[in-house]
Amino acid sequence: MDRKMSPETRSALEKLADWFRARSIWMLHYCTGCGAVELPPSMTSRFDMERFGIGPMATPRQADVLLITGYLATKTLRRVIYTYEQMQTPKYVIGFGSCTINGGIYYDSYNVITRLDLYLPVDIYIAGCMPRPEAILTAFNKLREMIEKGEANGWKRYEENKEWYRANQLKALNGEVYVTR
Amino acid sequence: MKILESAAVIITGIVFGLFLLGVQRKLVARVQRRYGPPIWQQFIDVAKLFSKSSISHGFVFDMGVMMALGGTIATLLFVPIGKLQVLSMSGDFIVVVYLMAVASLGMAMSAVNSGNPNASIGVMRALTQMFGYELPYLMVMMGMMFAYRTSSILGMAQVQQGGILNWNLFRVPIGAIVVFISMFGISGKKPFDTPIAPAEIASGPMVEYSGKFLGSLTLMHALVIFVDISIFVNVFLGGASNYWFFLLKVLAVFSLMVLISSVIPRFRVEQVVTFSWKWPLFFAVIQSVILVAMGVR
Ligand code: SF4
């Protein structure tokens, strides 16, 4: 799959919208991994994410950013895919901690996925096990820059390469993505 | 002329309402010793919401949002902002109360139509707690209408002219406190925010709203807060002869509400009703008896 971002041309209206999107990032955290424990300090008094307009949201419909905070078992991967597909575009994904990059300490586990990027279009990774709040804030500011420049277009990548992602998902999920159980 | 005035009132309501929400976020942040978002954050949020894609869940879902926003805007037109009042008639307070109900009804309809169980729970909670705070609120207001022999908001504001001591805040003090408490319920502030409890029921009625729907509801929330406090300012704080002075009073009352609500936790849903029917209702009855028996002053 082509990972290069095409130098696309945005209309003036899109640019304005991206300016707003960069300054108001609502996140949905998928907190099954241990990394989530660093989020409360980043949101509360000491590090205060809200000064950048970043805030937690309760449901996928309202959120802009999906935070995957660590390892994903294949069972949770299914739910993450549902969640991601419920979100409204433009949407971004942040892979949080080494587990999302290469499996981290679960690199040889039998039911944990090792590379999140194979299944969902990750816009930005935060390395570390687990990343400190400073790292989280740096990542969010980087994401903010990317959104403003129009480079954070993982959601477009997902739509364009749907088959590729779907094939990977099916491989990890034993042949079906949507189950009603 | 009327059209210009309406436009002025609506723009005031939206801009100032969003500004109030921004002030709220900043104040809460300062109370928690944070720096807080910029004061215009709420404008950015709404603009962003309107720029996102959004998903509809059927005709009633769309219509309910329009009904909620439209109902609130209609309410706003009845509220005197300083000298600026678009629609006025002799019974406009009662009209306002009904129109506010139209707005909440629209929201309830649309939320339930989304089919999400969290939304239904949220709507159920909102309607339950409405029983709690509306009763004492209306009781005090009815008592005052009886005592002053007027049911127009402007009329209430005019009887208090001539000095601060003529304000209903000092003439009808118990009632003012009861209405102030009920206002936390109407604007969904902290002890009364059971319907939108984000950690329990995933923000309740708002759970399925996205993009421009959520943006419209944010606008509606801003307007509801503005209307709510404007009525308090007109009825208890003597209104204002000047547009800017009026907004200043609204800002002061709102800041007080935010400071109080930022340090208290949330009621459980049955505690809301127990509390409202125990204390505010008790004092509301006492105040109405005083008003009816002795009149004002
Ligand atoms: S990267 Fe480390 S902290 Fe994060 S989920 Fe994996 S093991 Fe836990």
Side-chain angles (χ1 to χ4, degrees):
Chain A
M1 185 195 52
D2 184 19
R3 288 284 319 227
K4 277 267 173 298
M5 292 169 197
S6 52
E8 30 99 46
T9 45
R10 290 176 298 162
S11 66
L13 200 65
E14 288 264 284
K15 274 188 190 153
L16 187 70
D18 278 340
W19 193 88
F20 285 121
R21 286 169 194 155
R23 273 154 189 79
S24 155
I25 302 177
W26 291 351
M27 53 185 184
L28 178 74
H29 18 256
Y30 198 87
C31 292
T32 53
C34 14
V37 82
E38 293 290 340
L39 279 172
S42 357
M43 283 186 286
T44 47
S45 307
R46 176 138 180 226
F47 292 99
D48 186 22
M49 272 172 150
E50 205 188 1
R51 67 201 144 111
F52 302 117
I54 305 166
M57 273 291 141
T59 76
R61 299 280 190 216
Q62 305 162 356
D64 307 313
V65 176
L66 180 59
L67 272 175
I68 312 280
T69 63
Y71 61 88
L72 284 180
T74 44
K75 201 172 173 182
T76 44
L77 174 66
R78 196 190 301 279
R79 272 76 204 181
V80 168
I81 294 169
Y82 293 175
T83 311
Y84 181 72
E85 289 181 353
Q86 277 179 31
M87 287 169 64
Q88 298 299 307
T89 56
K91 50 192 174 183
Y92 318 102
V93 178
I94 295 189
F96 194 106
S98 333
C99 280
T100 54
I101 303 178
N102 57 9
I105 57 173
Y106 299 101
Y107 70 98
D108 57 353
S109 171
Y110 62 95
N111 72 339
V112 168
I113 59 156
T114 45
R115 260 187 68 191
L116 181 59
D117 208 15
L118 293 178
Y119 310 98
L120 287 179
V122 179
D123 286 293
I124 193 165
Y125 281 115
I126 313 177
C129 176
M130 47 199 53
R132 295 263 312 149
E134 291 92 334
I136 300 172
L137 287 185
T138 315
F140 267 100
N141 278 330
K142 181 81 183 129
L143 179 70
R144 191 174 147 140
E145 272 169 33
M146 285 168 65
I147 297 176
E148 201 170 338
K149 288 197 203 120
E151 286 169 0
N153 39 21
W155 55 282
K156 284 184 194 154
R157 218 159 62 219
Y158 189 73
E159 271 162 21
E160 280 159 18
N161 304 296
K162 196 88 182 237
E163 290 84 48
W164 188 82
Y165 282 110
R166 193 56 97 209
N168 288 336
Q169 291 167 356
L170 288 174
K171 213 188 284 169
L173 296 177
N174 280 336
E176 47 182 346
V177 173
Y178 303 105
V179 290
T180 46
R181 289 184 295 277
Chain B
M1 208 51 222
K2 274 279 181 234
I3 292 177
L4 277 186
E5 278 182 7
S6 327
V9 168
I10 292 169
I11 289 172
T12 308
I14 287 176
V15 171
F16 199 70
L18 288 179
F19 169 73
L20 285 180
L21 290 180
V23 169
Q24 167 180 6
R25 286 176 73 170
K26 193 81 182 173
L27 274 179
V28 172
R30 297 308 298 172
V31 167
Q32 296 173 350
R33 303 214 171 176
R34 290 189 284 123
Y35 183 73
I39 228 149
W40 54 86
Q41 181 65 41
Q42 211 67 32
F43 294 94
I44 299 180
D45 284 356
V46 170
K48 177 206 73 177
L49 282 174
F50 277 101
S51 83
K52 286 193 73 158
S53 69
S54 37
I55 186 166
S56 163
H57 296 267
F59 174 67
V60 180
F61 186 83
D62 304 356
M63 202 190 65
V65 174
M66 285 295 98
M67 206 168 130
L69 191 58
T72 325
I73 288 177
T75 325
L76 185 65
L77 297 182
F78 281 98
V79 177
I81 302 175
K83 286 243 179 314
L84 197 66
Q85 187 183 24
V86 183
L87 302 173
S88 69
M89 52 170 126
S90 56
D92 57 7
F93 179 74
I94 297 170
V95 178
V96 162
V97 171
Y98 272 97
L99 281 177
M100 289 285 251
V102 167
S104 0
L105 212 64
M107 171 130 181
M109 249 167 55
S110 140
V112 170
N113 186 250
S114 72
N116 191 311
N118 280 328
S120 314
I121 297 175
V123 167
M124 188 272 295
R125 287 183 177 196
L127 296 181
T128 312
Q129 81 167 21
M130 233 160 112
F131 276 124
Y133 59 74
E134 288 271 317
L135 201 60
Y137 181 81
L138 283 180
M139 186 163 269
V140 171
M141 289 299 195
M142 295 292 168
M144 288 178 56
M145 282 178 210
F146 181 79
Y148 284 123
R149 300 292 190 281
T150 171
S151 58
S152 94
I153 303 175
L154 198 60
M156 292 265 206
Q158 275 160 355
V159 291
Q160 314 171 44
Q161 265 162 9
I164 282 188
L165 283 181
N166 277 349
W167 288 4
N168 278 335
L169 182 64
F170 302 106
R171 283 175 169 178
V172 197
I174 307 178
I177 293 172
V178 170
V179 170
F180 187 70
I181 293 176
S182 304
M183 263 164 43
F184 283 77
I186 298 175
S187 55
K189 287 240 155 334
K190 205 56 184 237
F192 295 97
D193 67 342
T194 48
I196 50 157
E200 294 166 42
I201 51 171
S203 70
M206 320 288 276
V207 64
E208 283 291 335
Y209 291 99
S210 53
K212 55 179 185 283
F213 296 104
L214 195 57
S216 311
L217 288 183
T218 314
L219 289 184
M220 175 210 148
H221 183 60
L223 288 177
V224 165
I225 286 183
F226 183 70
V227 168
D228 183 24
I229 300 178
S230 301
I231 291 175
F232 184 81
V233 167
N234 275 315
V235 175
F236 288 98
L237 300 183
S241 50
N242 183 323
Y243 178 80
W244 299 107
F245 197 49
F246 183 84
L247 295 188
L248 207 64
K249 276 184 180 173
V250 173
L251 182 61
V253 175
F254 182 73
S255 310
L256 184 64
M257 283 173 72
V258 169
L259 288 181
I260 293 175
S261 77
S262 64
V263 291
I264 40 185
R266 178 161 62 226
F267 278 137
R268 282 205 313 269
V269 67
E270 88 280 8
Q271 283 173 337
V272 175
V273 182
T274 328
F275 169 80
S276 314
W277 283 13
K278 213 185 259 169
W279 299 113
L281 191 61
F282 174 67
F283 287 116
V285 170
I286 291 184
Q287 182 69 70
S288 325
V289 168
I290 294 176
L291 281 172
V292 171
M294 310 207 272
V296 205
R297 195 79 75 76

